[in-house]
Amino acid sequence: MEKENFKEEFDKLKKEFPYLTVEDQERMKKDFTYHPPKADQVPRYNEIRSQAEAFAAGLMQMCPPSRERSLALTALEEAVFWANASIARNE
């Protein structure tokens, strides 16, 4: 039944978005659906954040306040996000 519903939904979207592929729709569903954490994932999320926080503290200590330091911290924040998303979306 779910497969039929998926096909109906895809056919509707295909009319509006002619370049939409099945892979595109699957990616959209995967990327924009809430993925509640499983019990075994929470410790890994916490460890990733903890290691990033330690690294951020080192950056704050060694790098002078600047746009570059700010960008480095933003990139680290983004790395944490993507690391956690890899766990949430692929397990």
Side-chain angles (χ1 to χ4, degrees):
M1 185 68 148
E2 188 175 310
K3 197 172 196 174
E4 289 176 14
N5 190 21
F6 180 82
K7 176 146 178 35
E8 288 174 21
E9 185 181 332
F10 179 74
D11 289 341
K12 287 179 193 175
L13 284 170
K14 188 74 172 167
K15 290 176 185 171
E16 191 173 345
F17 304 100
Y19 297 111
L20 185 69
T21 65
V22 171
E23 292 81 14
D24 292 336
Q25 188 175 11
E26 289 172 354
R27 179 180 177 185
M28 287 171 51
K29 185 175 181 180
K30 180 178 168 184
D31 289 355
F32 301 106
T33 299
Y34 175 66
H35 304 280
K38 298 172 185 145
D40 65 320
Q41 294 172 334
V42 174
R44 288 184 286 154
Y45 293 147
N46 292 336
E47 182 61 24
I48 289 167
R49 286 190 190 99
S50 176
Q51 288 187 23
E53 183 179 13
F55 188 66
L59 292 175
M60 297 292 283
Q61 186 178 38
M62 293 182 274
C63 301
S66 62
R67 177 177 178 272
E68 292 79 6
R69 182 176 82 174
S70 180
L71 288 170
L73 292 169
T74 299
L76 179 59
E77 183 179 13
E78 187 177 1
V80 169
F81 169 82
W82 287 118
N84 286 340
S86 75
I87 294 168
R89 293 177 181 177
N90 297 293
E91 292 186 352

